[in-house]
Structures are given as structure tokens and as C-alpha cells.
Amino acid sequence: MSFWNLWGPAKGAGAAKPSDWFVTMAREWNARNRTKVELTYFSGNTYTNGSTLPTAFLADKGPDIFALSPGDFLRYANGGVLEDLTPYLTREAIDDFVDGALDTRTVDGKIYGLPLSLQPHAFYYGIDAWERSGLSEGDIPRTWDQFLSVAERLTTKKRFGLTLETTPGYLQNFCWYPFMWAGGADAVAPDGTSSAFREPGAVEALRFWQETIQRGVAPRRSLGTGSTDITANLLVDYCGIQHCGPYGASTLRSAAPHFAFGVFKQPVPPGGTYTTDVGGWAFVVNRRGRNPEAAARFVVWALGSMEESCVKRMADWCTVANSDMPPRKSVARLAEQRGYFEDPIMKYFHEEVVPGGRGEPRYPPNVYQPISEAIQACQLSGADPRARADRAADLIEDALATYEGARIF
């Protein structure tokens, strides 16, 4: 069975531990089962924003098992290519997932994906650059105005103050959504038939991202594989602040153990409310694959069993291989027993970043696309945020009017 993923086997700064975890998982399964798993690695940009996965499915050559983000879930769920994992799960195991962790992978009560971890985003900063710019802990920004001011102070001839994702794709939308939500706007209104993208919160979020480019505090392109590639940007002093999930901590520590860094949660606009996006990849099964039953048993064995070895495997991922937030209660308990949340960075994510977070939304491609185009036009081409928000809202409502598929949220 082929398993397409973003972690292993791979080489490079910060890649060793995640890769080792994946290789070990496959080896343990293969040692006990006749139907073997073969890992195939793709880099983040190739997999997240590229056409590799959808093109493979269009050619009926999709992998047997693959990693899938909530943002792209409906493309495959509505396409009827995902295997229902519910029959392979026990009630105890389903209840062990933390509240909301399975929501974006569930359709009509059937579970189509199991999350590997939870990944709320926050902002990392390098303490040395911070202090050399005359900043102190009291300068941690809480508002957008403060955020831009700090970014300007961090900006030099060789360093940008911060990076925000500039490559169009699900990752960029994911990174941008909390800016919109903080101002009270949304892509899809609660009634499910209209868009709240015309609301001032969306317009101001588009304007804020645009302003970071126009002021010269953010680059038009990040280095490495993108704005979440923390070793290629923050570590080399290409930027002073970087948007990333908790996995950024383990990546930095693996690549440069002496690099000092801090984390702060998302600043808010005037009158806004704090929130962040809680993402996280899931393992899913291609129901048109060579052996969907064996693939489903593998996924449940890997991430959805109450066996001690499964709980330990997931805790190893969250606390050793990739520093993420646990998606299951039993895994969180084991992580706590290991002292995971005593680490200052993980403690901050656990106590400050996660509360108020919102799960990454799942939108069909014709809802996701107008948002992506609006972000791109405003951020990089100087388009009018008001006009682009109106246009995107019109397109989203056109899409909603004819939409047939799993519930959007």
C-alpha cells in the first residue's frame, strides 16, 4: 500500500525526527502484516499547493493512504474517494479524541480521517534579533498597529520584520483566516447560504496583509518551502517574526539547539477578538485503492486504537518527533506525564494559544478559490480590499447557491 505524506523518509534540517517516526511506524506495521506499507515523501509546497495529489486522483492513480488537511477535505469527500473508517474504530477510541478533532473529517456521522495532531498557529521571534532591535518582552504586540510597529523596528537592509505566506494555496488561506475572524467576518455566514466576506473584518484583514508588503516589512516571497519553513527564514535571520505551528519549536531545536526564540499569539485589530486557526493533518484512505480494508486497518492501528502502543506512538509524535498538540485525551495525559507542557513554549501554546482557537474550515474548491484570489490580488498586486472582498463574496454566494455535498463549516 502506498502512503503519500509530507514527513518521511526525508533528509534536511529539522526533518530527521519526523522522518524517523514515519519510517518506524511503517516498519512496525510491515513486521506484523502481510500487506505492507510503502512511504512516499513530498515536500510541503509540492503536496500542499501543487497539483500532485489531485492530478493523481484524476488519473485514477491516487495513493492507497494519504495525508489530508481539513481545508482540502471536501474535494475528496465529495468526490467519493474516501473510505469510511468508522467500522474499524471502537466507541472508546472515538470518544478519546478531543472535542472537535474529528468534526472536519466526519460526514453524516461517518469518520473519514484520523488526525495525527493539532496545529494552532502563533508567531515566533528570534530573541537575539529582538533585543538587537531595542525590543523587550514588554513590546510583544497585542494589536495590529503594535504588530506593524514592531515589524518595522525589526526590519533592516538584510532582514524583514515578519513573513506572511505569499504562495497561493490552502496554506495561505489557513494562515489568513484568523486575521479575518478576529474582525468578525467569515467566508460563509452561519446560515450556510450567504457570505460574510463583505464585512469590514475581511476587508481590513486583506488591507493589513497588503500593508505589510507596501511598508516593506514583509517579503513578497519567503525562502525555502514557504512562510512556515522556520529554518529557512527565522533561523537564518531572513525575518524577525514568523507564523508557524508548535512544530516550529522542535524544528528549531533540532536544527539549532542554541537558537533562542519566543512565541506570541495572534494580535487583534481595534475592537477585535483573539482567535487562531487550529489545523492538523489526518491520515485518510482511498476507497478506490488496491486494498482499502487493509489501508483502513493500518490507519486505525496507527492513530485510532486504544492499544498502549498506539497511544505511545502518537505521544512520541507530539512530544518527540514534531512538538504538536495531542488530538486525543489519552495522548495528552501521557504527554503531561512526560512533562511536555512544562516546556515554556508548549505551555504557552497549551494555555494561551489553543484557547479561543477555531478548527480549520473545510470549503469546496469554488469557495476556497475566490478567497485565495482576493488575498493574492490585495497582498501582492495592490488591489482595492473593499472591491476584492465584494467580488469574492459574490463568487462565494454563487458557489453556495449550487453546492451539493457535505456540510460546509
Side-chain angles (χ1 to χ4, degrees), residues 7 117-121 174 245-247 277-281 317 322 324-325:
W7 300 277
S117 62
L118 302 178
Q119 297 180 332
H121 268 209
F174 170 80
Y247 53 87
D277 218 342
V278 182
W281 293 88
W317 174 260
N322 209 45
D324 277 337
M325 294 293 106

Side-chain angles (χ1 to χ4, degrees), residues 85-316:
L85 303 178
T86 319
Y88 305 93
L89 290 158
T90 66
R91 185 74 251 172
E92 183 183 14
I94 294 172
D95 292 342
D96 192 45
F97 282 88
V98 302
D99 292 345
L102 295 176
D103 289 356
T104 53
R105 289 92 176 183
T106 300
V107 179
D108 297 332
K110 297 179 180 178
I111 299 166
Y112 290 94
L114 298 182
L116 174 61
S117 62
L118 302 178
Q119 297 180 332
H121 268 209
F123 290 93
Y124 287 72
Y125 61 97
I127 290 177
D128 182 57
W130 192 268
E131 292 178 346
R132 282 190 283 115
S133 300
L135 296 166
S136 67
E137 191 171 341
D139 293 306
I140 297 295
R142 293 176 173 77
T143 68
W144 285 4
D145 286 344
Q146 294 170 354
F147 197 12
L148 284 173
S149 177
V150 166
E152 284 181 334
R153 291 179 64 177
L154 284 164
T155 301
T156 67
K157 291 182 179 178
K158 295 183 177 180
R159 181 180 63 226
F160 289 96
L162 76 153
T163 58
L164 295 171
E165 184 61 57
T166 57
T167 303
Y170 282 95
L171 176 61
Q172 185 180 46
N173 283 24
F174 170 80
C175 295
W176 181 82
Y177 289 141
F179 288 83
M180 170 180 66
W181 296 336
D186 213 332
V188 179
D191 63 14
T193 62
S194 62
S195 174
F197 209 79
R198 298 183 186 86
E199 297 296 321
V203 177
E204 293 309 311
L206 292 171
R207 196 184 311 282
F208 180 85
W209 276 43
Q210 182 181 73
E211 196 169 356
T212 64
I213 298 292
Q214 292 180 342
R215 287 199 189 190
V217 300
R220 301 180 71 84
R221 184 175 182 181
S222 301
L223 301 180
T225 59
S227 70
T228 58
D229 187 342
I230 203 160
T231 57
N233 293 281
L234 186 72
L235 183 59
V236 300
D237 208 28
Y238 181 67
C239 65
I241 301 171
Q242 183 157 358
H243 205 195
C244 197
Y247 53 87
S250 61
T251 303
L252 286 171
R253 287 166 175 164
S254 294
H258 300 297
F259 180 76
F261 60 91
V263 175
F264 61 85
K265 63 183 184 181
Q266 177 119 358
V268 299
T273 303
Y274 164 74
T275 185
T276 191
D277 218 342
V278 182
W281 293 88
F283 293 1
V284 299
V285 170
N286 177 5
R287 65 185 294 264
R288 299 173 184 168
R290 286 171 291 186
N291 191 339
E293 179 178 343
R297 293 191 184 283
F298 166 77
V299 169
V300 171
W301 168 84
L303 304 180
S305 163
M306 292 305 297
E307 293 292 328
E308 183 178 344
S309 59
C310 179
V311 174
K312 179 182 180 299
R313 179 181 306 112
M314 296 182 74
D316 287 347

